[in-house]
Amino acid sequence: MKKRVLEVENLTKKFGKFTAVDSVSFEMYEGEILGLMGPNGAGKTTTLHMLLDLTTATSGTVKLFELGYKDARVEILSRVNFSSSYISLPSTLTVIENLTVMARVYGIGGAKRRKEIIDELMRLFEITELAKHSTRGLSSGQLTRVCLVKALLNRPEILFLDEPTASLDPDIADKTRRLLKSIRDERKISILYSSHNMAEMEEICDRLIFINRGKIVATGTAEELLKEYNEKSLEEVFLKITRSSGSDNKKAETGRA
Amino acid sequence: MNIQRILGFSTRYLYLYKRSLPRLMEIFYWPVIDLLLWGFVGIYLKKHQGTGPDIIAFFLGALILWDILFRSQQGISISFLEDIWSRNLLNIFTSPISQTEYIVTLLLMSVIKLILASTVMVLLAWLFYTFNIFTFGLALIPLAANLIIMGWSIGIITTAIILRYGQQAEVLAWGIAFLFQPVSAVFYPVDVLPGFLKTVAWFVPASHVFEGMRTVLDGNPLPLDQVFIAALLNCAYIMVAILFFNWNFKAVKRKGLLVKNGE
């Protein structure tokens, strides 16, 4: 039986009268790559932020490793990590300095061990030659890879990725996805992956959750979704769901994935 | 609280000062300019004043002590702004570092910046004006400690406001300490203030510190009652500042503003 690492129950976020996330429930299992899809403003990033305790939920529960943030914030955040194409790292510092700081914050003790871990990850993401470059001088693609290295420093059991390949060119994006998959296979890491890129989601995710207007409107493997909506690509499924949003969708009513 | 995380995160700021000459200069630039300006004003006034209290000592002592307060406030606020400017907040708050550890890191940075700036000011004051701050003797310790804590309180409150209102509130980081300067009796005694401002000044810890400083410079012992009142006020204000920060941090997370300021 697969081990459940994330359990979300009736998660809701309201900003005033606007409901950004509406009673969302789903689980994620060890070693799973779970895709969070949806149009702009659908609520996927807000969901991600609540899962990371960056935004407080209006109601509902989030359990990671059967623990809640209220009682075990430090333990949870020591076992997960996050990367997004919308964040950065201090630009004045060099790549190696930034990664060293974050490694220390994650409690990776011993200069030698830190160096080994950082060197190995930089080699994997092909950014070894950038070690002594100022982060300011990096291209957005290079910066994304540095942020991904940061996200793997603590050998996380769950990785939260918000559009991680948005600023990468197709070749590097493809390499990055393959790398993430191989890291998942090797380390049994679970990845919650948010993206607009349907082809990417189809390629990398084991299971997909489609969010629209704050509710889960569809869920399943890419194959299941294609079959259910009788379409040939996820992009067409995406368009179909988006256009029919607000229609009588049983999954939307329950919000259950 | 985990010391390793605090020390680890402190290196982020130390690397910053190592790598950025403008940031490093920022620590020394204004203190040196202020010191030169007020030192020469003091010399000029002394020439015309003849005998009486050593006006240079009053100015320079006040200036060095004021800089302690100002630097301790800025050490927190500016370090926090560095994380906003570099879109680093989400990296911080998705890591195991707690908000308390983060604030302690900022306090540590304020002490380091303060030591650097004060060392240069003390040396220059001695070189240019033969003013030795250590003539205060042991009195310097409680006076400086009170100013540091008052600076921390202002810095923590400023940080909380910037967290809530984003970069539009960053002007506070540069100017908020000066809001307290007129009622801190830095360069003049509380007596010269009009009635209601005298009352306000009584509630400002710095005013008791600067009154104490002038008493010592006049050759009298440190007035312990002034130090005690300042310490009591500081205890109250630092607690209020921490409570305000925590309350505000929760509100910011509830409103989703941590993410907006972090991206």
Side-chain angles (χ1 to χ4, degrees), chain A residues 52 64 96 109 138 154 199 238:
Chain A
L52 284 158
L64 295 105
I96 193 79
L138 302 181
N154 60 325
F238 179 97

Side-chain angles (χ1 to χ4, degrees), chain A residues 37-95:
Chain A
M37 292 195 305
N40 287 329
K44 51 189 194 304
T45 300
T46 305
T47 302
L48 206 59
H49 291 155
M50 286 191 282
L51 301 185
L52 284 158
D53 196 36
L54 290 169
T55 299
T56 309
T58 305
S59 61
T61 56
V62 174
K63 295 245 175 194
L64 295 105
F65 321 109
E66 299 185 340
L67 302 167
Y69 278 109
K70 196 178 173 189
D71 303 316
R73 184 184 175 276
V74 171
E75 185 184 340
I76 292 170
L77 291 178
S78 300
R79 294 169 67 181
V80 307
N81 213 316
F82 166 69
S83 186
S84 160
S85 51
Y86 302 111
I87 60 167
S88 187
L89 286 162
S91 60
T92 321
L93 276 61
T94 64
V95 168

Side-chain angles (χ1 to χ4, degrees), chain A residues 13 15 49 52-56 73-74 77-78 82 86-90 92-94 97 100-102 104-106 150, chain B residues 5 7-9 11-12 15-16 18-20 86-88 90-91 93-98 253-256 258-259 263:
Chain A
K13 183 65 198 176
F15 295 106
H49 291 155
L52 284 158
D53 196 36
L54 290 169
T55 299
T56 309
R73 184 184 175 276
V74 171
L77 291 178
S78 300
F82 166 69
Y86 302 111
I87 60 167
S88 187
L89 286 162
T92 321
L93 276 61
T94 64
E97 285 168 346
T100 303
V101 168
M102 292 314 292
R104 291 188 65 176
V105 168
Y106 278 95
K150 181 240 78 165
Chain B
R5 276 198 292 269
L7 293 177
F9 195 61
T11 54
R12 174 253 187 278
Y15 281 137
L16 173 73
K18 180 180 143 194
R19 293 271 163 222
S20 172
S86 58
R87 292 190 291 147
N88 194 34
L90 297 197
N91 288 320
F93 290 113
T94 54
S95 82
I97 200 161
S98 68
K253 278 173 68 177
R254 200 173 54 244
K255 290 170 186 281
L258 186 60
V259 176
E263 288 186 347

